[in-house]
Amino acid sequence: MDKISNPALENKIFSNRLILAFVFIFILTLVLISRLYNLQIIHYDYYTEESLGNQMRLLPITPVRGKIFDRDGKVIASNQLAYRLTLTPEKTKNIDETLLLLKQYDFINDKDIGVFNKNKKRYKKFHNIPLKHKLSEKQVAEFLVSNRFIGVDIETYFHRTYPHNDSSVHVTGYISRMNKKDKAFYNKKNYLGTSFVGKTGIEKQYEALLHGKNGKKQIERNVTGRVINTQIIQAAEKGADLYLSIDLELQKKAESLLKGKRGAIVAVDTTNGEVLVMVSTPIYNPNWFVNGISHKNYKKLQTSKDIPQLNRTIQGLYPPGSTIKPMVALAGLEQGAIVTHTETYCPGFFKLSNFKRKFNDWKRSGHGVIDMKGAIAQSCDVFFYELADKMGIDALHDGLAYFNFGQKTGIDIPGERGGILPSKAWKKINKDEPWYRGETLIAGIGQGFMTTSPLQLAVATAALANKGIIFQPKVLKSIQIHGETIKEVEKGTQRQIPIKDIHNWEEVIEGMKLTIYAPKGTARKLNKGLKYTLAGKTGTAQVFGLDAEEQYIAENLAENLRDHALFTGFAPIENPQIAIAVIVENAGSGSSKAAPLAKAVLDVYFNKHPVQ
Amino acid sequence: MKSIDKIRHFWHYFKMDTPLFLMLITTSVFGLLMLYSASESIGLIYKQILHFVIAISVMLVIAQMPPYLLRRYSPYLMLFGIFLLLLVLLFGSSSGGAQRWLNLGFMRFQPSELMKIIVPIAIASILSEKTLPPKPLPVLISVTAIIAIVLLIAKQPDLGTSLLIGASGVFVLFFSGISLQIIKRNNWLNFAVIVGAIIGSGAIAWNYLLMAYQKKRILTMIDPTLDPLGAGYHILQSKIAIGSGGLLGKGIEQGSQSQLNFLPEHTTDFIFAVIAEELGFLGVLLLLCFYGLIIYRCFLISFESEDTFSKLLGASLTLIFFTYVFVNIGMVSGLLPVVGVPLPLISYGGSSLITLLASFGIIMSIRKHKTPSYLSKF
């Protein structure tokens, strides 16, 4: 040991320094304590929330979509347990590499990758993003065995299926992946876990009912994202099951009748406006859209001249042709332009005074002396030219407006169009031209500017049958909210056509009856073996105007310029139950091309509901 | 001799400061409890208990050696330490971009750990040659030695350890009463040399020795939210853990941050955050009390010791112990950059624990070997 030369000084220096060190330690400890106080006491709430956010995450539970049934409870749309591949970007080391590997193993293709990359941005952090829907069982097995894709999982979900494929597609519609517009439109909170949404038809109309209410679950995770605990905070509420007024059996019959043709068949219940049949052809497969439609199929649908996606029953606007005549007749009776026994002579044409042009009757030889009922039954054009001319276009418009022509029926299927019921005012507004007298004549036989949808014809025909009640047609019959009993929904609105003489209905109906039963009735062929009474009206609507002297010869015309074949009718006459409208585009004569289809559908109906 | 006498006899010659020993054991048991809560497997606890057994043995063995032995052999210790550091630079095995270990075949050995003790011993030895306050020459020698060692370790690179080892040397200078005296004597030349050396080495360190990740650590300390999943992630998660602990904590094994692995390195460098999360502000104050008692006891021992070497060594070892505590808690709570300093007596790990308890062994030896009569016996 060295000798300590000046212990007193050394001790003093050391003690001073020790005290200094103590002060130093004390101050730094205070710094630490104040820091911890700041974190643990002052900002406790903030960090508590941060720590909860770390481990807990609220995730939506997607509700099971409601099913759709026909009126007899046959399944039209349902859900199937399926498997889908999902990827969580935060859990995947290299997304592109993983996608490439998945492609190599044939789990996904380039299109799936494209869709994934597009969708990616829409999801929140730590969400598993769907990569491929509806894996085959083989793929599921292969995936589970391979077990080499980190961040890629298989999860179950309910896949929408339409078991009857293309049948009733225009009624049911389809669901498909939500696009940007859908995302903006639907309630964000309720659609957090939803990726499919109704795009057309009932699926779109009743999206709110079908979708249900999504639930919430809280998952607790560790840092690798592995779920270690799941707690359901709010269970999802299943969407409501819908029962349509549609009769699938009739529907399929109608579809088979129209197979290979462009056309539409609509039938409504004359007592309440329920839609029994609503067929538009060509039909297409809604299942395509659920899986993500292939480019080929989509192009086919889009470019087809037959426009399969057009719901002709509500969006197809056709000149009604002669099917309008009973309504014109009623308007004439009501407004006193004719009386029941008014007769006219039909030479086969009608000529206005100081007017060059001749207005031909479809029957060039003429019908001779004919009264109103006969004019309906034999579809005499001259009688209605004269009547229309006498009434004038505005009176004709008012009379037909009672039957809801020119306005939407208000059916519960999106996309309906109202057609045109012309008047002087209408022409002024839309064409900026004065009304010509000749245009009144052809309006009287349902040609010219006038257009109607098949549904409008069916609803107007039903109003004839039930003597003046215009129903708002409705496809939804009843709903079953999860856990409750099936309940009928409210019927559509109804409205009575004002009538001066109640017998006028019977006069017009008599004319329609004669169409079927009179020896000269245009649809007389239908009465053979008829097990019910039927009243109807045929129509052959010109697609374009022929010159006065020209003879209509179907074979000479391009297919799309040929006449549309129409038929409207109802049955039974005494106690009407069903009204029907048929149109077959460019098929020619209504009596031969449309009327038999109506009868075939009605036969099926009355087999099911025999007349006592 | 009766066996009870044997024990008494042994006890008489067995050098150990019982209060300090009990404080260390209490803190260690507290640490083991927290480690148990923070770790997933009980195996980790067994290993750490083994580390403690070894470290306490080392401590008690060192406590039996009189301090003057250390002083006498300090030059050799220093040369040996520098030799080992050079070996590390030349032949050391590396891990994670740093070359810090010597592979001895049966174990990996980190010479920089050894320097944590050797540097204060050596500096204390140099400065206590003559009466305090030290003359410029020993100060210059000390400063040069400190800078050399700091640079050697920083080159590995191990910035945190090198700075702490440098600090341990500087602390000895501090306790020797250095700076004021130098200024008083107007020995500006020496002072300028020292200041220049410190600034120069700092500049060299920033430019050549700091790796990109180290600079980033310093920058992310300023705002950890800049890069939540990168370098700032550790700090952010540990702040969440500490803050969500509140006053009373979430309870043992209830800390979601640590139990669900959001908190990185929660058994080693970041175990303080586990304590703060599970035991709250009060638990943290308790731990600080443990540390405070240890520091108080050690300072008392140093104060009461009778030779300059022991005073300087004991006080600076104590101050460096506090520095570890401060740097670790400061780093975990986001006050300081993440430098990789374990929480003394608590963090999992063997080598740092052994060095730490070895330094407490020296302090015990100072306590028990203070009287000249004792010294004369050797």
Side-chain angles (χ1 to χ4, degrees):
Chain A
M1 285 298 291
D2 284 304
K3 202 181 126 234
I4 294 170
S5 53
N6 191 346
L9 176 66
E10 286 207 333
N11 270 340
K12 200 183 154 215
I13 290 172
F14 184 71
S15 305
N16 282 342
R17 287 300 156 104
L18 211 53
I19 290 164
L20 214 59
F22 253 121
V23 172
F24 173 72
I25 289 174
F26 185 72
I27 291 170
L28 288 184
T29 307
L30 275 187
V31 168
L32 281 187
I33 289 176
S34 66
R35 172 66 171 179
L36 295 169
Y37 183 83
N38 182 294
L39 290 176
Q40 297 195 280
I41 309 296
I42 296 175
H43 291 116
Y44 170 67
D45 292 336
Y46 171 78
Y47 286 112
T48 299
E49 219 153 276
E50 288 278 299
S51 108
L52 287 179
N54 253 343
Q55 40 166 332
M56 307 289 198
R57 209 164 284 268
L58 273 183
L59 288 183
I61 309 174
T62 314
V64 180
R65 197 173 174 84
K67 294 178 189 170
I68 302 176
F69 303 94
D70 87 333
R71 63 185 301 122
D72 299 327
K74 288 181 194 148
V75 180
I76 295 178
S78 137
N79 307 299
Q80 200 179 19
L81 194 67
Y83 299 92
R84 68 178 161 213
L85 217 53
T86 66
L87 190 148
T88 314
E90 285 78 7
K91 278 158 62 179
T92 317
K93 272 206 184 109
N94 186 332
I95 297 177
D96 293 329
E97 223 169 72
T98 307
L99 290 176
L100 212 67
L101 207 61
L102 283 168
K103 195 185 137 194
Q104 273 173 18
Y105 279 78
D106 265 344
F107 289 118
I108 56 172
N109 56 33
D110 283 328
K111 201 185 143 223
D112 298 320
I113 295 176
V115 170
F116 173 82
N117 282 328
K118 235 172 35 191
N119 281 346
K120 204 162 58 178
K121 293 163 217 122
R122 293 216 300 261
Y123 285 84
K124 279 193 189 164
K125 265 192 157 186
F126 287 105
H127 260 257
N128 14 352
I129 304 172
L131 190 55
K132 170 101 183 168
H133 286 91
K134 222 181 169 186
L135 292 175
S136 70
E137 289 195 1
K138 187 168 159 258
Q139 280 177 314
V140 172
E142 275 173 5
F143 181 84
L144 292 177
V145 168
S146 72
N147 191 27
R148 47 153 55 213
F149 304 100
I150 300 159
V152 182
D153 296 298
I154 279 190
E155 59 179 36
T156 54
Y157 73 106
F158 284 101
H159 186 86
R160 193 65 154 176
T161 53
Y162 303 99
H164 301 283
N165 291 320
D166 44 11
S167 176
S168 309
V169 60
H170 292 103
V171 182
T172 323
Y174 55 81
I175 67 166
S176 184
R177 215 180 283 279
M178 290 175 93
N179 58 28
K180 255 191 202 143
K181 252 164 94 188
D182 297 325
K183 291 251 172 196
F185 180 76
Y186 291 105
N187 180 339
K188 270 218 173 75
K189 270 192 183 157
N190 201 23
Y191 278 76
L192 277 176
T194 307
S195 39
F196 289 90
V197 78
K199 295 282 186 172
T200 62
I202 289 292
E203 292 273 30
K204 183 180 185 187
Q205 180 80 19
Y206 293 110
E207 171 66 31
L209 284 173
L210 287 164
H211 180 267
K213 243 173 111 182
N214 77 347
K216 272 186 228 158
K217 63 181 171 186
Q218 191 167 47
I219 58 161
E220 192 179 346
R221 284 188 299 219
N222 62 13
V223 72
T224 59
R226 200 158 57 91
V227 175
I228 54 175
N229 191 15
T230 305
Q231 194 183 1
I232 291 173
I233 289 182
Q234 194 183 353
E237 269 174 48
K238 195 174 168 294
D241 290 339
L242 305 188
Y243 290 80
L244 307 185
S245 59
I246 296 291
D247 185 324
L248 200 60
E249 196 182 339
L250 293 184
Q251 191 82 355
K252 287 200 161 177
K253 179 71 189 173
E255 280 161 1
S256 71
L257 292 167
L258 284 175
K259 200 168 177 169
K261 303 173 180 135
R262 279 170 285 111
I265 297 179
V266 183
V268 297
D269 187 323
T270 57
T271 63
N272 55 21
E274 286 177 4
V275 179
L276 298 167
V277 178
M278 176 175 261
V279 169
S280 167
T281 56
I283 43 183
Y284 59 95
N285 193 338
N287 287 312
W288 287 348
F289 287 88
V290 187
N291 304 331
I293 187 164
S294 74
H295 187 70
K296 203 183 94 200
N297 282 341
Y298 189 69
K299 209 173 164 194
K300 221 164 78 188
L301 273 183
Q302 287 292 304
T303 56
S304 167
K305 277 180 192 156
D306 295 343
I307 329 175
Q309 284 185 277
L310 182 75
N311 183 354
R312 291 177 157 75
T313 59
I314 57 171
Q315 295 173 320
L317 296 179
Y318 306 93
S322 305
T323 56
I324 203 77
K325 285 173 182 165
M327 296 77 170
V328 176
L330 186 86
L333 288 172
E334 278 292 298
Q335 295 177 15
I338 47 168
V339 291
T340 326
H341 303 293
T342 303
E343 286 185 348
T344 200
Y345 175 72
C346 168
F349 63 88
F350 182 77
K351 207 164 177 308
L352 284 173
S353 50
N354 64 43
F355 210 88
K356 238 187 188 171
R357 185 183 157 176
K358 272 202 306 192
F359 291 87
N360 286 326
D361 194 286
W362 66 270
K363 194 173 172 187
R364 288 301 171 88
S365 56
H367 295 94
V369 174
I370 198 160
D371 66 357
M372 186 209 75
K373 289 176 213 165
I376 292 174
Q378 298 175 36
S379 202
C380 172
D381 291 335
V382 172
F383 183 92
F384 286 96
Y385 288 145
E386 209 178 298
L387 172 57
D389 188 46
K390 197 168 174 192
M391 290 170 75
I393 184 61
D394 284 344
L396 186 65
H397 168 272
D398 294 348
L400 291 178
Y402 285 132
F403 286 92
N404 214 50
F405 292 116
Q407 298 161 50
K408 290 176 186 176
T409 62
I411 191 175
D412 51 347
I413 291 192
E416 190 189 9
R417 295 171 69 190
I420 297 165
L421 181 58
S423 65
K424 283 179 184 160
W426 174 88
K427 198 177 177 199
K428 185 76 201 150
I429 291 165
N430 289 284
K431 306 267 174 194
D432 197 21
E433 272 176 30
W435 185 266
Y436 300 113
R437 200 170 158 197
E439 288 166 347
T440 310
L441 302 194
I442 57 171
I445 62 160
Q447 293 282 168
F449 297 119
M450 188 170 182
T451 55
T452 60
S453 72
L455 178 67
Q456 282 178 323
L457 284 177
V459 168
T461 308
L464 284 175
N466 62 35
K467 302 200 170 83
I469 306 170
I470 292 281
F471 285 105
Q472 177 188 5
K474 203 151 181 186
V475 175
L476 182 61
K477 189 170 161 60
S478 37
I479 68 172
Q480 182 172 26
I481 293 166
H482 186 60
E484 295 178 21
T485 52
I486 303 178
K487 276 189 199 130
E488 286 241 342
V489 296
E490 225 176 284
K491 292 273 166 267
T493 55
Q494 60 182 78
R495 156 169 81 71
Q496 177 71 43
I497 299 174
I499 196 90
K500 286 176 191 147
D501 185 353
I502 199 98
H503 297 295
N504 288 342
W505 291 118
E506 277 145 31
E507 298 299 328
V508 172
I509 291 169
E510 183 65 20
M512 290 175 76
K513 184 180 173 183
L514 292 174
T515 307
I516 314 290
Y517 294 98
K520 284 187 174 172
T522 50
R524 59 188 174 276
K525 280 178 187 157
L526 295 196
N527 69 31
K528 258 184 232 159
L530 210 55
K531 293 192 180 103
Y532 47 88
T533 53
L534 174 65
K537 182 74 199 79
T538 57
T540 306
Q542 285 176 16
V543 175
F544 82 122
L546 289 171
D547 269 347
E549 306 299 334
E550 255 180 298
Q551 184 74 31
Y552 175 87
I553 300 160
E555 287 69 31
N556 294 348
L557 284 170
E559 205 255 342
N560 63 345
L561 297 178
R562 288 180 207 163
D563 293 347
H564 295 322
L566 291 96
F567 180 84
T568 58
F570 64 88
I573 297 171
E574 307 73 37
N575 180 22
Q577 293 173 16
I578 178 170
I580 191 166
V582 177
I583 177 158
V584 189
E585 286 184 17
N586 309 119
S589 146
S591 50
S592 63
K593 302 293 183 195
L597 306 192
K599 187 191 174 213
V601 172
L602 293 175
D603 283 348
V604 175
Y605 177 84
F606 286 104
N607 267 338
K608 269 180 95 173
H609 311 274
V611 189
Q612 272 93 36
Chain B
M1 235 196 280
K2 279 185 198 165
S3 62
I4 188 85
D5 287 338
K6 266 186 191 168
I7 293 171
R8 266 189 202 142
H9 186 77
F10 171 77
W11 197 243
H12 182 76
Y13 289 100
F14 185 71
K15 319 292 184 208
M16 188 184 80
D17 184 54
T18 315
L20 181 57
F21 185 78
L22 291 179
M23 288 168 191
L24 292 173
I25 291 296
T26 310
T27 314
S28 305
V29 169
F30 177 83
L32 280 173
L33 186 70
M34 290 323 295
L35 193 64
Y36 170 76
S37 173
S39 65
E40 287 91 20
S41 70
I42 192 79
L44 197 76
I45 306 302
Y46 293 145
K47 271 194 198 161
Q48 183 70 353
I49 290 175
L50 183 68
H51 292 153
F52 265 112
V53 170
I54 295 171
I56 288 172
S57 310
V58 168
M59 174 177 81
L60 293 178
V61 167
I62 289 177
Q64 309 316 309
M65 296 193 290
Y68 79 84
L69 277 183
L70 291 175
R71 190 181 168 194
R72 179 180 296 163
Y73 293 111
S74 67
Y76 307 106
L77 282 175
M78 189 66 164
L79 288 175
F80 178 63
I82 291 176
F83 173 69
L84 288 181
L85 288 179
L86 288 172
L87 275 187
V88 167
L89 283 183
L90 294 175
F91 310 108
S93 60
S94 51
S95 143
Q99 192 167 332
R100 297 172 187 170
W101 291 270
L102 276 182
N103 202 336
L104 301 184
F106 62 97
M107 66 173 282
R108 293 206 310 173
F109 168 69
Q110 204 174 336
S112 57
E113 282 295 331
L114 211 54
M115 295 311 280
K116 285 179 181 173
I117 306 178
I118 292 177
V119 167
I121 291 174
I123 306 298
S125 168
I126 295 169
L127 295 181
S128 60
E129 286 293 326
K130 301 272 165 54
T131 181
L132 295 182
K135 302 272 182 305
L137 185 63
V139 171
L140 202 62
I141 294 170
S142 305
V143 170
T144 315
I146 292 169
I147 290 173
I149 288 162
V150 164
L151 291 182
L152 274 178
I153 298 172
K155 191 77 194 148
Q156 290 180 355
D158 191 350
L159 185 68
T161 311
S162 72
L163 288 180
L164 285 169
I165 288 170
S168 68
V170 171
F171 289 163
V172 184
L173 286 167
F174 166 78
F175 282 113
S176 72
I178 161 188
S179 62
L180 288 170
Q181 296 306 319
I182 286 174
I183 294 166
K184 263 183 195 162
R185 287 178 189 188
N186 275 333
N187 202 333
W188 290 107
L189 184 69
N190 286 329
F191 184 65
V193 168
I194 293 165
V195 171
I198 291 169
I199 293 173
S201 59
I204 290 169
W206 181 263
N207 283 324
Y208 298 106
L209 294 172
L210 281 183
M211 311 272 282
Y213 79 92
Q214 289 169 325
K215 287 180 186 171
K216 202 174 170 189
R217 274 182 183 177
I218 292 171
L219 291 176
T220 50
M221 181 200 64
I222 297 161
D223 186 3
T225 52
L226 282 177
D227 180 19
L229 286 173
Y233 178 77
H234 288 199
I235 301 173
L236 199 65
Q237 292 298 344
S238 78
K239 274 167 76 179
I240 292 173
I242 295 170
S244 63
L247 182 68
L248 297 172
K250 299 176 183 172
I252 294 280
E253 290 206 297
Q254 301 299 313
S256 58
Q257 286 290 102
S258 39
Q259 303 299 332
L260 300 178
N261 282 330
F262 286 103
L263 193 64
E265 298 180 39
H266 54 271
T267 58
T268 55
D269 288 359
F270 281 77
I271 196 165
F272 179 80
V274 179
I275 299 172
E277 186 185 22
E278 300 191 344
L279 299 182
F281 187 57
L282 292 184
V284 165
L285 288 185
L286 181 71
L287 178 66
L288 289 178
C289 282
F290 288 158
Y291 285 137
L293 284 174
I294 291 172
I295 289 165
Y296 175 76
R297 179 73 194 164
C298 292
F299 270 163
L300 193 69
I301 289 171
S302 313
F303 181 71
E304 284 177 0
S305 75
E306 284 164 0
D307 66 295
T308 313
F309 174 72
S310 299
K311 277 180 203 283
L312 292 182
L313 184 56
S316 43
L317 286 178
T318 311
L319 194 53
I320 198 71
F321 171 74
F322 169 76
T323 309
Y324 289 146
V325 172
F326 178 78
V327 169
N328 177 274
I329 298 179
M331 146 188 125
V332 171
S333 62
L335 282 177
L336 298 172
V338 177
V339 284
V341 172
L343 185 64
L345 298 172
I346 313 275
S347 285
Y348 175 82
S351 54
S352 65
L353 190 67
I354 291 169
T355 336
L356 188 70
L357 286 189
S359 69
F360 284 114
I362 292 171
I363 289 171
M364 285 185 178
S365 122
I366 289 170
R367 176 71 174 176
K368 291 296 171 182
H369 294 92
K370 65 180 176 180
T371 57
S373 62
Y374 263 117
L375 288 173
S376 63
K377 278 186 184 173
F378 282 85

